[in-house]
Amino acid sequence: DAGVTQSPTHLIKTRGQQVTLRCSPISGHKSVSWYQQVLGQGPQFIFQYYEKEERGRGNFPDRFSARQFPNYSSELNVNALLLGDSALYLCASSLLGITGELFFGEGSRLTVL
Amino acid sequence: SQQGEEDPQALSIQEGENATMNCSYKTSINNLQWYRQNSGRGLVHLILIRSNEREKHSGRLRVTLDTSKKSSSLLITASRAADTASYFCATDATSGSRLTFGEGTQLTVNP
């Protein structure tokens, strides 16, 4: 079975631009969570979606938005990019929600110049 | 903000030795999980321990949980060079809707 897939794997943007990151969960998983991991730090929670509804939001500005589609795939959008948005963006899926094991993708490495 | 704090931040040992990592957290939890991350890659789930459990084993891994002290430890026995990675604890708080990760312990196992 395919694991969690994320695209693109690497991308470079300039300040002020917008970026869309994509995530396909494991088949049958209805929950998707997004995390930001700055180099040398632990992952920071951004969003959690379950059954296409937002169930949790971390301490991130409104420049960050996300959605989940009927097939349970998800997109994370970041507008007006700042240098500090440079990070590894991780998507994780789970069967029922966040109480239990999360299955992570390999991440999208975003560099903002 | 980070719920969990791992200790030590970095640990270097020889192959065959045991590695112990500790995690402290701040609020009541449903469960605590440990994840492993190879450099720049995604995280891999290692083990989950529920708040009503005190100890759990999985292969060479042993996890303990002390809810009165709000702390957990991960023991890796007979370490191998392939165990070199960052290890994170993550908590599922009773009041939250997210899994909150600590800053991690960088483990280096020298062959």
Side-chain angles (χ1 to χ4, degrees), chain B residues 41-60:
Chain B
R41 307 288 300 276
L43 282 77
V44 175
H45 181 266
L46 295 175
I47 196 165
L48 179 153
I49 186 166
R50 302 192 188 285
S51 59
N52 61 353
E53 297 175 309
R54 291 298 167 258
E55 186 171 316
K56 202 163 184 180
H57 296 253
S58 177
R60 294 184 296 113

Side-chain angles (χ1 to χ4, degrees), chain B residues 88-99:
Chain B
F88 295 90
C89 68
T91 52
D92 170 19
T94 55
S95 60
S97 60
R98 68 207 56 190
L99 204 59

Side-chain angles (χ1 to χ4, degrees), chain A residues 7 16 24 39-40 42 60 65 87 89 91 98 107:
Chain A
S7 63
S24 293
L39 193 63
F60 280 81
S65 63
Y89 288 85
C91 172
I98 58 93

